[in-house]
Amino acid sequence: MKYLVLLAVLVIAFGVWRNQRRREMPPPAAARPALPQAMVSCARCGVHIPRSEALTDSGPSYCSPEHQRQGPA
């Protein structure tokens, strides 16, 4: 019987401790959606990619070094 009481006290103490930790933790920040980016199309295959990821050589934009090497279609 004393082990049952001890177990009950431990479970209650754990519950109180866990509840206190939850109150102290700040709520998770809401994920902010990414801002829209300007899109360009590859001069070789036409796939659209963000301007920041495009390969541009003072003219048309390409999606990969292979397409840049091959040139426009």
Side-chain angles (χ1 to χ4, degrees):
M1 182 68 178
K2 66 180 179 180
Y3 294 115
L4 187 59
V5 171
L6 179 62
L7 180 63
V9 169
L10 289 175
V11 168
I12 291 172
F14 178 73
V16 169
W17 173 74
R18 189 171 175 200
N19 195 16
Q20 288 295 328
R21 283 192 55 213
R22 283 187 181 169
R23 286 186 192 157
E24 292 171 0
M25 292 175 44
R32 188 179 298 176
L35 296 175
Q37 297 183 15
M39 302 292 280
V40 294
S41 62
C42 177
R44 180 77 183 166
C45 65
V47 71
H48 288 84
I49 53 176
R51 186 181 304 269
S52 62
E53 295 179 20
L55 301 172
T56 305
D57 191 20
S58 67
S61 300
Y62 299 96
C63 63
S64 67
E66 172 104 16
H67 284 184
Q68 188 176 26
R69 192 176 71 246
Q70 292 174 355

